[in-house]
Coordinates of all heavy atoms in Angstrom, one line a residue:
M1 N 10.4 12.9 -21.4 CA 9.7 11.6 -21.6 C 10.7 10.4 -21.6 O 10.8 9.6 -22.5 CB 9.0 11.6 -23.0 CG 8.5 10.5 -23.4 SD 7.9 10.6 -25.2 CE 6.3 10.3 -25.1
P2 N 11.6 10.4 -20.6 CA 12.5 9.3 -20.5 C 11.8 8.0 -20.2 O 10.8 7.9 -19.8 CB 13.4 9.6 -19.3 CG 13.2 11.1 -19.0 CD 11.9 11.5 -19.6
H3 N 12.5 7.0 -20.9 CA 11.9 5.6 -20.9 C 12.3 4.9 -19.6 O 13.4 4.8 -19.3 CB 12.3 4.8 -22.2 CG 11.7 3.5 -22.2 ND1 10.4 3.2 -22.4 CD2 12.3 2.3 -22.1 CE1 10.3 1.9 -22.4 NE2 11.4 1.3 -22.3
S4 N 11.4 4.4 -18.9 CA 11.7 3.7 -17.6 C 11.3 2.2 -17.9 O 10.4 1.9 -18.6 CB 11.0 4.2 -16.4 OG 10.1 3.4 -15.9
P5 N 12.1 1.2 -17.2 CA 11.8 -0.1 -17.4 C 10.4 -0.7 -17.1 O 10.0 -1.7 -17.5 CB 12.8 -0.9 -16.6 CG 13.8 0.2 -16.2 CD 13.2 1.5 -16.4
K6 N 9.8 0.1 -16.1 CA 8.4 -0.3 -15.7 C 7.4 0.1 -16.8 O 6.3 -0.5 -16.8 CB 8.1 0.4 -14.4 CG 8.9 -0.1 -13.3 CD 8.5 0.6 -12.0 CE 9.5 0.2 -10.9 NZ 9.2 0.9 -9.6
Q7 N 7.6 1.0 -17.6 CA 6.7 1.4 -18.8 C 6.7 0.3 -19.8 O 7.6 -0.5 -19.9 CB 7.1 2.7 -19.4 CG 7.0 3.9 -18.4 CD 7.5 5.1 -19.0 OE1 8.2 5.2 -19.9 NE2 7.0 6.3 -18.5
E8 N 5.7 0.4 -20.7 CA 5.6 -0.5 -21.8 C 6.7 0.1 -22.8 O 7.1 1.2 -22.8 CB 4.2 -0.4 -22.5 CG 3.2 -1.2 -21.8 CD 2.0 -1.2 -22.6 OE1 2.0 -1.3 -23.9 OE2 0.9 -1.4 -21.9
P9 N 7.3 -0.8 -23.7 CA 8.3 -0.4 -24.6 C 7.8 0.7 -25.4 O 6.7 0.8 -25.8 CB 8.6 -1.6 -25.5 CG 8.0 -2.8 -24.6 CD 6.9 -2.2 -23.8
I10 N 8.7 1.7 -25.8 CA 8.3 2.8 -26.5 C 7.9 2.5 -28.0 O 8.6 1.6 -28.5 CB 9.4 3.9 -26.5 CG1 8.9 5.2 -27.0 CG2 10.6 3.5 -27.2 CD1 9.8 6.4 -26.7
Q11 N 7.0 3.0 -28.4 CA 6.6 2.8 -29.8 C 7.4 3.7 -30.8 O 7.9 4.7 -30.4 CB 5.1 3.2 -30.0 CG 4.1 2.4 -29.1 CD 4.1 0.9 -29.6 OE1 4.0 0.6 -30.7 NE2 4.2 0.2 -28.6
F12 N 7.6 3.2 -32.0 CA 8.4 3.9 -32.9 C 7.9 5.3 -33.2 O 8.8 6.3 -33.2 CB 8.3 3.2 -34.3 CG 9.2 3.8 -35.3 CD1 10.6 3.5 -35.4 CD2 8.7 4.6 -36.3 CE1 11.4 4.1 -36.3 CE2 9.4 5.2 -37.3 CZ 10.8 4.9 -37.3
E13 N 6.7 5.5 -33.3 CA 6.1 7.0 -33.5 C 6.5 7.9 -32.2 O 6.8 9.1 -32.4 CB 4.6 6.9 -33.6 CG 4.2 6.3 -35.0 CD 4.2 4.6 -35.0 OE1 4.5 4.1 -33.9 OE2 4.0 4.1 -36.1
Q14 N 6.4 7.3 -31.0 CA 6.7 8.0 -29.9 C 8.1 8.4 -29.9 O 8.6 9.6 -29.4 CB 6.4 7.3 -28.6 CG 4.9 7.0 -28.4 CD 4.6 6.0 -27.2 OE1 5.4 5.0 -27.1 NE2 3.6 6.3 -26.4
A15 N 9.0 7.4 -30.2 CA 10.4 7.7 -30.3 C 10.8 8.8 -31.2 O 11.7 9.7 -31.0 CB 11.2 6.4 -30.6
T16 N 10.1 8.7 -32.5 CA 10.3 9.8 -33.5 C 10.0 11.2 -32.9 O 10.7 12.1 -33.2 CB 9.5 9.4 -34.8 OG1 9.9 8.2 -35.2 CG2 9.8 10.4 -35.8
L17 N 8.8 11.2 -32.3 CA 8.4 12.6 -31.7 C 9.4 13.1 -30.7 O 9.8 14.2 -30.7 CB 7.0 12.5 -31.2 CG 5.8 12.2 -32.1 CD1 4.5 12.0 -31.4 CD2 5.7 13.5 -33.1
R18 N 9.9 12.1 -29.8 CA 10.7 12.5 -28.7 C 12.1 13.0 -29.3 O 12.7 13.9 -28.9 CB 10.9 11.4 -27.8 CG 11.9 11.8 -26.6 CD 11.4 12.9 -25.8 NE 12.4 13.2 -24.8 CZ 12.7 14.5 -24.4 NH1 12.0 15.6 -24.8 NH2 13.6 14.7 -23.5
L19 N 12.6 12.2 -30.4 CA 13.8 12.7 -31.1 C 13.7 14.1 -31.7 O 14.6 14.8 -31.7 CB 14.2 11.6 -32.2 CG 14.9 10.4 -31.7 CD1 14.8 9.3 -32.7 CD2 16.2 10.6 -31.0
E20 N 12.6 14.4 -32.2 CA 12.3 15.8 -32.8 C 12.4 16.8 -31.6 O 13.0 17.8 -31.8 CB 10.9 15.9 -33.4 CG 10.9 15.1 -34.8 CD 9.5 15.1 -35.4 OE1 8.6 15.7 -34.9 OE2 9.4 14.3 -36.4
E21 N 11.8 16.4 -30.5 CA 11.8 17.4 -29.3 C 13.3 17.6 -28.9 O 13.8 18.7 -28.5 CB 11.1 16.9 -28.1 CG 9.6 16.9 -28.4 CD 8.8 16.1 -27.2 OE1 9.5 15.5 -26.3 OE2 7.5 16.0 -27.3
I22 N 14.1 16.4 -28.8 CA 15.5 16.5 -28.4 C 16.3 17.4 -29.3 O 17.0 18.2 -29.0 CB 16.1 15.1 -28.3 CG1 15.5 14.3 -27.1 CG2 17.5 15.2 -28.3 CD1 15.8 12.9 -27.0
A23 N 16.0 17.2 -30.6 CA 16.7 18.0 -31.7 C 16.5 19.5 -31.5 O 17.4 20.4 -31.6 CB 16.3 17.6 -33.1
E24 N 15.2 19.9 -31.2 CA 14.9 21.3 -31.0 C 15.6 21.8 -29.7 O 16.2 22.9 -29.8 CB 13.4 21.4 -30.8 CG 12.6 21.3 -32.1 CD 11.1 21.2 -31.8 OE1 10.6 21.7 -30.8 OE2 10.3 20.8 -32.7
R25 N 15.6 21.1 -28.7 CA 16.3 21.4 -27.5 C 17.9 21.6 -27.7 O 18.5 22.5 -27.3 CB 16.1 20.4 -26.4 CG 14.9 20.5 -25.7 CD 14.5 21.8 -24.9 NE 15.4 22.1 -23.9 CZ 15.8 23.4 -23.5 NH1 15.3 24.4 -24.2 NH2 16.6 23.6 -22.6
L26 N 18.4 20.7 -28.5 CA 19.9 20.8 -28.9 C 20.1 22.0 -29.8 O 21.3 22.5 -29.7 CB 20.3 19.5 -29.6 CG 20.3 18.3 -28.6 CD1 20.6 17.0 -29.4 CD2 21.3 18.4 -27.5
D27 N 19.2 22.4 -30.6 CA 19.4 23.6 -31.4 C 19.3 24.9 -30.7 O 19.7 25.9 -31.2 CB 18.3 23.6 -32.5 CG 18.7 22.6 -33.6 OD1 19.8 22.2 -33.7 OD2 17.8 22.3 -34.4
N28 N 18.7 24.9 -29.5 CA 18.5 26.0 -28.6 C 19.9 26.4 -28.0 O 20.5 25.7 -27.3 CB 17.5 25.7 -27.6 CG 17.2 27.0 -26.8 OD1 18.0 27.9 -26.6 ND2 15.9 26.9 -26.1
P29 N 20.3 27.6 -28.3 CA 21.6 28.1 -27.7 C 21.6 28.2 -26.2 O 22.6 28.4 -25.6 CB 22.0 29.4 -28.4 CG 20.6 29.8 -29.0 CD 19.7 28.7 -29.2
D30 N 20.4 28.3 -25.6 CA 20.3 28.4 -24.2 C 20.5 26.9 -23.5 O 20.4 27.0 -22.2 CB 19.0 29.2 -23.7 CG 18.9 30.5 -24.3 OD1 19.9 31.1 -24.3 OD2 17.8 31.0 -24.6
T31 N 20.5 26.0 -24.1 CA 20.5 24.6 -23.5 C 21.9 24.4 -22.9 O 23.0 24.6 -23.6 CB 20.2 23.5 -24.5 OG1 19.0 23.7 -25.0 CG2 20.2 22.2 -23.9
G32 N 22.1 24.1 -21.7 CA 23.4 23.9 -21.0 C 24.0 22.6 -21.2 O 23.4 21.7 -21.8
L33 N 25.2 22.5 -20.9 CA 26.1 21.4 -21.3 C 25.5 20.1 -20.6 O 25.4 19.1 -21.3 CB 27.5 21.7 -20.8 CG 28.5 20.5 -21.1 CD1 28.5 20.2 -22.5 CD2 29.9 20.8 -20.6
E34 N 25.2 20.2 -19.4 CA 24.6 18.9 -18.7 C 23.3 18.4 -19.4 O 23.2 17.2 -19.5 CB 24.4 19.1 -17.3 CG 25.6 19.3 -16.4 CD 26.6 18.0 -16.6 OE1 26.1 16.9 -16.5 OE2 27.8 18.2 -16.8
E35 N 22.5 19.5 -19.8 CA 21.2 19.1 -20.5 C 21.6 18.4 -21.8 O 20.9 17.5 -22.2 CB 20.3 20.2 -20.5 CG 19.0 19.8 -21.1 CD 17.9 20.9 -21.3 OE1 18.3 22.1 -20.9 OE2 16.8 20.6 -21.7
I36 N 22.5 19.1 -22.6 CA 22.9 18.5 -23.7 C 23.5 17.1 -23.7 O 23.0 16.2 -24.4 CB 24.1 19.4 -24.4 CG1 23.4 20.7 -24.8 CG2 24.7 18.6 -25.7 CD1 24.5 21.7 -25.3
I37 N 24.2 16.8 -22.8 CA 24.7 15.5 -22.5 C 23.6 14.5 -22.2 O 23.5 13.4 -22.9 CB 25.8 15.4 -21.4 CG1 27.0 16.2 -21.8 CG2 26.2 14.0 -21.0 CD1 28.1 16.4 -20.8
T38 N 22.7 14.9 -21.4 CA 21.5 14.0 -21.1 C 20.7 13.8 -22.3 O 20.2 12.7 -22.5 CB 20.7 14.7 -19.9 OG1 21.4 14.9 -18.8 CG2 19.6 13.8 -19.6
L39 N 20.4 14.9 -23.1 CA 19.6 14.7 -24.2 C 20.3 13.9 -25.4 O 19.6 13.0 -26.0 CB 19.3 16.1 -24.9 CG 18.4 17.0 -24.1 CD1 18.5 18.4 -24.6 CD2 17.0 16.4 -24.1
V40 N 21.6 14.0 -25.5 CA 22.3 13.1 -26.5 C 22.2 11.6 -26.0 O 22.0 10.7 -26.8 CB 23.8 13.6 -26.6 CG1 24.6 12.5 -27.4 CG2 23.8 14.9 -27.3
E41 N 22.4 11.4 -24.7 CA 22.3 10.0 -24.2 C 20.9 9.5 -24.6 O 20.8 8.3 -24.9 CB 22.6 9.9 -22.7 CG 24.0 10.2 -22.3 CD 24.3 10.3 -20.8 OE1 23.3 10.5 -20.2 OE2 25.5 10.1 -20.5
E42 N 19.9 10.2 -24.2 CA 18.5 9.7 -24.5 C 18.2 9.6 -26.0 O 17.6 8.6 -26.4 CB 17.5 10.8 -23.9 CG 16.1 10.4 -24.1 CD 15.0 11.4 -23.6 OE1 15.4 12.4 -23.0 OE2 13.9 11.0 -23.8
G43 N 18.7 10.5 -26.7 CA 18.5 10.3 -28.1 C 19.3 9.2 -28.8 O 18.7 8.5 -29.6
L44 N 20.4 8.8 -28.3 CA 21.1 7.7 -28.7 C 20.4 6.4 -28.4 O 20.2 5.4 -29.1 CB 22.6 7.7 -28.2 CG 23.5 8.6 -28.9 CD1 24.9 8.6 -28.1 CD2 23.7 8.4 -30.4
S45 N 19.9 6.4 -27.1 CA 19.1 5.2 -26.7 C 17.8 5.1 -27.6 O 17.4 4.0 -27.9 CB 18.7 5.4 -25.3 OG 17.8 4.4 -24.8
L46 N 17.1 6.2 -27.9 CA 16.0 6.1 -28.7 C 16.2 5.7 -30.2 O 15.5 4.9 -30.7 CB 15.2 7.5 -28.8 CG 14.5 7.9 -27.5 CD1 14.2 9.4 -27.5 CD2 13.3 7.1 -27.3
V47 N 17.4 6.0 -30.7 CA 17.8 5.7 -32.0 C 18.0 4.2 -32.0 O 17.6 3.5 -33.0 CB 19.1 6.4 -32.5 CG1 19.8 5.7 -33.7 CG2 18.7 7.8 -32.7
R48 N 18.8 3.7 -31.0 CA 19.0 2.2 -30.9 C 17.7 1.4 -30.8 O 17.4 0.4 -31.5 CB 19.9 1.9 -29.6 CG 21.4 2.1 -29.9 CD 22.3 1.6 -28.8 NE 22.1 2.3 -27.6 CZ 22.7 3.3 -27.2 NH1 23.5 3.9 -28.0 NH2 22.4 3.9 -26.0
S49 N 16.8 1.9 -29.9 CA 15.5 1.2 -29.8 C 14.7 1.3 -31.2 O 14.1 0.3 -31.6 CB 14.7 2.0 -28.8 OG 15.3 1.9 -27.6
S50 N 14.7 2.4 -31.9 CA 14.1 2.6 -33.1 C 14.6 1.6 -34.2 O 13.9 1.0 -34.9 CB 14.1 4.0 -33.6 OG 13.5 4.8 -32.6
K51 N 15.9 1.5 -34.2 CA 16.5 0.6 -35.1 C 16.2 -0.9 -34.9 O 15.9 -1.6 -35.8 CB 18.1 0.7 -35.1 CG 18.6 1.9 -35.8 CD 20.2 1.9 -35.7 CE 20.8 3.1 -36.4 NZ 22.2 3.1 -36.4
E52 N 16.0 -1.2 -33.6 CA 15.6 -2.6 -33.3 C 14.2 -2.8 -33.6 O 13.7 -3.8 -34.2 CB 15.7 -2.8 -31.8 CG 15.5 -4.2 -31.3 CD 16.3 -5.3 -31.9 OE1 17.3 -5.1 -32.5 OE2 15.9 -6.5 -31.9
L53 N 13.3 -1.8 -33.4 CA 11.8 -1.9 -33.8 C 11.7 -2.1 -35.3 O 10.9 -2.9 -35.8 CB 11.1 -0.6 -33.4 CG 10.9 -0.5 -31.9 CD1 10.4 0.9 -31.4 CD2 9.9 -1.6 -31.4
L54 N 12.5 -1.3 -36.1 CA 12.6 -1.4 -37.6 C 13.0 -2.8 -38.0 O 12.5 -3.4 -38.9 CB 13.3 -0.3 -38.1 CG 12.7 1.1 -38.1 CD1 13.7 2.1 -38.6 CD2 11.5 1.2 -38.9
R55 N 14.1 -3.3 -37.3 CA 14.6 -4.6 -37.7 C 13.6 -5.7 -37.4 O 13.3 -6.5 -38.4 CB 15.9 -4.9 -36.8 CG 16.5 -6.2 -37.2 CD 17.6 -6.6 -36.3 NE 16.9 -7.0 -35.1 CZ 16.3 -8.2 -34.8 NH1 16.1 -9.1 -35.7 NH2 15.8 -8.5 -33.5
K56 N 12.9 -5.6 -36.3 CA 11.8 -6.6 -36.1 C 10.6 -6.4 -37.0 O 10.1 -7.4 -37.5 CB 11.3 -6.4 -34.6 CG 12.3 -6.9 -33.6 CD 11.7 -6.7 -32.2 CE 12.7 -7.1 -31.1 NZ 12.3 -6.9 -29.8
A57 N 10.2 -5.2 -37.4 CA 9.1 -5.0 -38.4 C 9.6 -5.6 -39.6 O 8.8 -6.2 -40.4 CB 8.9 -3.5 -38.5
E58 N 10.9 -5.4 -40.1 CA 11.4 -6.0 -41.5 C 11.1 -7.5 -41.3 O 10.7 -8.1 -42.4 CB 12.8 -5.5 -41.6 CG 13.3 -6.0 -42.9 CD 14.9 -5.7 -43.1 OE1 15.4 -5.1 -42.1 OE2 15.4 -6.2 -44.2
L59 N 11.6 -8.0 -40.3 CA 11.6 -9.5 -40.2 C 10.1 -10.1 -40.3 O 9.9 -11.0 -41.0 CB 12.3 -9.9 -38.9 CG 12.3 -11.5 -38.6 CD1 13.0 -12.1 -39.7 CD2 12.9 -11.7 -37.2
R60 N 9.3 -9.2 -39.6 CA 7.8 -9.7 -39.6 C 7.3 -9.6 -41.1 O 6.6 -10.5 -41.5 CB 7.0 -8.9 -38.7 CG 7.1 -9.2 -37.3 CD 6.4 -8.3 -36.3 NE 5.0 -8.4 -36.6 CZ 4.1 -7.6 -36.2 NH1 4.3 -6.5 -35.5 NH2 2.8 -7.7 -36.4
I61 N 7.7 -8.5 -41.8 CA 7.2 -8.4 -43.1 C 7.8 -9.5 -44.1 O 7.1 -10.0 -44.8 CB 7.5 -6.9 -43.6 CG1 6.5 -5.9 -42.9 CG2 7.3 -6.8 -45.1 CD1 7.0 -4.4 -43.1
R62 N 9.0 -9.7 -43.9 CA 9.7 -10.7 -44.7 C 9.0 -12.0 -44.6 O 8.9 -12.8 -45.5 CB 11.2 -10.8 -44.5 CG 11.9 -9.5 -45.1 CD 13.4 -9.7 -44.9 NE 14.1 -8.5 -45.3 CZ 14.5 -8.3 -46.7 NH1 14.2 -9.1 -47.5 NH2 15.1 -7.2 -47.0
T63 N 8.7 -12.3 -43.3 CA 8.1 -13.6 -42.9 C 6.7 -13.8 -43.6 O 6.3 -14.8 -44.1 CB 8.0 -13.8 -41.4 OG1 9.2 -13.6 -40.8 CG2 7.3 -15.1 -41.0
L64 N 5.9 -12.5 -43.6 CA 4.6 -12.5 -44.2 C 4.7 -12.7 -45.7 O 3.9 -13.4 -46.3 CB 3.9 -11.2 -43.8 CG 3.5 -11.1 -42.5 CD1 3.0 -9.7 -42.2 CD2 2.4 -12.1 -42.1
E65 N 5.7 -12.1 -46.3 CA 5.9 -12.1 -47.7 C 6.5 -13.6 -48.2 O 6.1 -14.0 -49.2 CB 7.0 -11.2 -48.2 CG 6.6 -9.7 -48.1 CD 7.6 -8.7 -48.5 OE1 8.9 -9.1 -48.4 OE2 7.4 -7.6 -48.9
N66 N 7.2 -14.2 -47.3 CA 7.8 -15.4 -47.6 C 7.8 -16.3 -46.5 O 8.9 -16.4 -45.8 CB 9.3 -15.1 -48.1 CG 9.7 -15.9 -49.3 OD1 9.1 -17.0 -49.6 ND2 10.8 -15.6 -49.8
P67 N 6.8 -17.0 -46.0 CA 6.7 -17.8 -44.8 C 7.6 -18.9 -44.8 O 7.9 -19.4 -43.7 CB 5.2 -18.1 -44.9 CG 4.7 -18.0 -46.1 CD 5.6 -17.0 -46.9
E68 N 8.2 -19.4 -45.9 CA 9.0 -20.7 -45.9 C 10.4 -20.2 -45.4 O 11.0 -19.3 -46.1 CB 9.2 -21.2 -47.3 CG 7.8 -21.8 -47.8 CD 7.9 -22.4 -49.1 OE1 9.0 -22.9 -49.5 OE2 6.9 -22.2 -49.9
P69 N 10.9 -20.7 -44.3 CA 12.2 -20.2 -43.7 C 13.4 -20.5 -44.7 O 14.4 -19.8 -44.5 CB 12.4 -21.2 -42.5 CG 11.4 -22.2 -42.6 CD 10.3 -21.8 -43.6
T70 N 13.3 -21.5 -45.6 CA 14.3 -21.8 -46.5 C 14.4 -21.0 -47.8 O 15.3 -20.9 -48.6 CB 14.5 -23.2 -46.9 OG1 13.2 -23.6 -47.5 CG2 14.7 -24.1 -45.8
A71 N 13.3 -20.2 -48.0 CA 13.1 -19.4 -49.3 C 14.0 -18.1 -49.2 O 14.1 -17.5 -48.1 CB 11.7 -19.0 -49.4
P72 N 14.7 -17.7 -50.2 CA 15.4 -16.5 -50.2 C 14.6 -15.3 -50.1 O 13.5 -15.3 -50.4 CB 16.2 -16.6 -51.6 CG 15.3 -17.5 -52.5 CD 14.6 -18.4 -51.6
A73 N 15.3 -14.3 -49.7 CA 14.6 -12.9 -49.6 C 14.3 -12.5 -50.9 O 15.1 -12.6 -51.9 CB 15.5 -12.0 -48.8
P74 N 13.3 -11.7 -51.1 CA 12.8 -11.2 -52.4 C 13.8 -10.1 -52.7 O 14.2 -9.4 -52.0 CB 11.4 -10.7 -52.1 CG 11.3 -10.6 -50.6 CD 12.2 -11.4 -50.0
E75 N 14.1 -10.1 -54.1 CA 14.9 -9.1 -54.6 C 14.1 -7.8 -55.0 O 13.0 -7.9 -55.3 CB 15.5 -9.6 -55.9 CG 16.5 -10.8 -55.8 CD 17.8 -10.3 -55.0 OE1 18.3 -9.2 -55.2 OE2 18.2 -11.0 -54.1
P76 N 14.7 -6.7 -54.9 CA 14.0 -5.4 -55.3 C 13.7 -5.4 -56.8 O 14.5 -6.0 -57.4 CB 14.9 -4.3 -54.8 CG 16.2 -4.9 -54.6 CD 16.0 -6.4 -54.3
P77 N 12.7 -4.7 -57.2 CA 12.4 -4.6 -58.6 C 13.5 -3.9 -59.4 O 14.3 -3.2 -58.8 CB 11.1 -3.7 -58.6 CG 10.7 -3.6 -57.3 CD 11.7 -4.0 -56.4
A78 N 13.6 -4.4 -60.6 CA 14.8 -3.8 -61.5 C 14.6 -2.4 -61.6 O 15.7 -1.7 -61.8 CB 14.7 -4.5 -62.8
D79 N 13.5 -1.8 -61.6 CA 13.3 -0.3 -61.8 C 13.3 0.4 -60.4 O 12.6 1.5 -60.4 CB 12.1 0.0 -62.6 CG 10.8 -0.5 -61.9 OD1 10.9 -1.3 -61.1 OD2 9.7 0.0 -62.3
D80 N 14.0 -0.1 -59.4 CA 14.1 0.4 -58.2 C 14.7 1.8 -58.2 O 15.6 2.2 -58.9 CB 14.9 -0.4 -57.3 CG 14.9 -0.1 -55.7 OD1 14.1 0.9 -55.4 OD2 15.7 -0.7 -55.0
D81 N 14.1 2.7 -57.5 CA 14.5 4.2 -57.5 C 15.6 4.4 -56.5 O 15.9 5.5 -56.2 CB 13.2 5.1 -57.2 CG 12.7 4.9 -55.9 OD1 13.2 4.1 -55.0 OD2 11.7 5.6 -55.5
G82 N 16.1 3.4 -55.8 CA 17.2 3.6 -54.9 C 16.7 3.7 -53.5 O 17.6 3.7 -52.5
F83 N 15.4 3.9 -53.2 CA 14.9 4.0 -51.8 C 14.4 2.7 -51.4 O 13.5 2.2 -52.0 CB 13.8 5.1 -51.7 CG 13.2 5.1 -50.5 CD1 13.8 5.9 -49.5 CD2 12.1 4.6 -50.2 CE1 13.3 6.1 -48.2 CE2 11.5 4.7 -48.9 CZ 12.1 5.4 -47.9
N84 N 15.0 2.1 -50.4 CA 14.5 0.8 -49.9 C 14.1 0.9 -48.5 O 14.8 1.6 -47.7 CB 15.7 -0.2 -50.0 CG 15.9 -0.6 -51.4 OD1 15.0 -0.9 -52.3 ND2 17.3 -0.7 -51.8
L85 N 13.0 0.3 -48.1 CA 12.6 0.2 -46.8 C 13.3 -0.8 -46.0 O 13.5 -0.8 -44.8 CB 11.1 -0.2 -46.8 CG 10.1 0.5 -45.8 CD1 8.8 0.3 -46.0 CD2 10.4 1.5 -44.9
F86 N 13.9 -1.8 -46.6 CA 14.5 -2.9 -46.0 C 16.0 -2.9 -46.3 O 16.6 -3.0 -47.3 CB 13.9 -4.2 -46.5 CG 12.4 -4.2 -46.2 CD1 11.5 -4.1 -47.2 CD2 11.9 -4.1 -45.0 CE1 10.2 -4.1 -47.1 CE2 10.6 -4.2 -44.7 CZ 9.7 -4.1 -45.8

């Protein structure tokens, strides 16, 4: 499922599924070196794309939460459990 420039941009969920497939192939002892290299390259590309999608989603959410461009970003609650989406 390699991404080609003619296709629509990959969705986050699609990237996640493909990364799971790649991880399974990399765990397989029968996977050859050339395939491993190709899979790692694809995986790194998917990770970069996913990070960018998450960055854009975070920006959209922050804009919705705080539409004024000069307003500071909201602080996490004081009883935060340490898990942050942003």
Side-chain angles (χ1 to χ4, degrees):
M1 176 192 238
H3 180 68
S4 116
K6 294 179 184 178
Q7 295 176 337
E8 288 191 30
I10 193 163
Q11 298 296 313
F12 183 78
E13 295 78 5
Q14 293 170 321
T16 302
L17 289 173
R18 181 61 184 146
L19 284 166
E20 289 174 6
E21 292 171 358
I22 289 171
E24 288 176 16
R25 285 295 301 148
L26 292 173
D27 283 342
N28 184 337
D30 295 329
T31 305
L33 180 60
E34 288 302 316
E35 185 178 0
I36 289 172
I37 293 169
T38 301
L39 290 168
V40 168
E41 289 172 340
E42 182 183 356
L44 290 172
S45 176
L46 288 168
V47 167
R48 283 190 291 273
S49 297
S50 296
K51 284 182 179 181
E52 182 62 16
L53 289 168
L54 288 172
R55 187 193 67 75
K56 288 178 181 180
E58 176 184 3
L59 182 60
R60 286 178 62 196
I61 291 169
R62 287 187 186 270
T63 301
L64 290 170
E65 289 177 337
N66 216 347
E68 297 178 33
T70 57
E75 293 294 320
D79 61 345
D80 189 1
D81 64 359
F83 177 79
N84 289 315
L85 222 174
F86 307 110

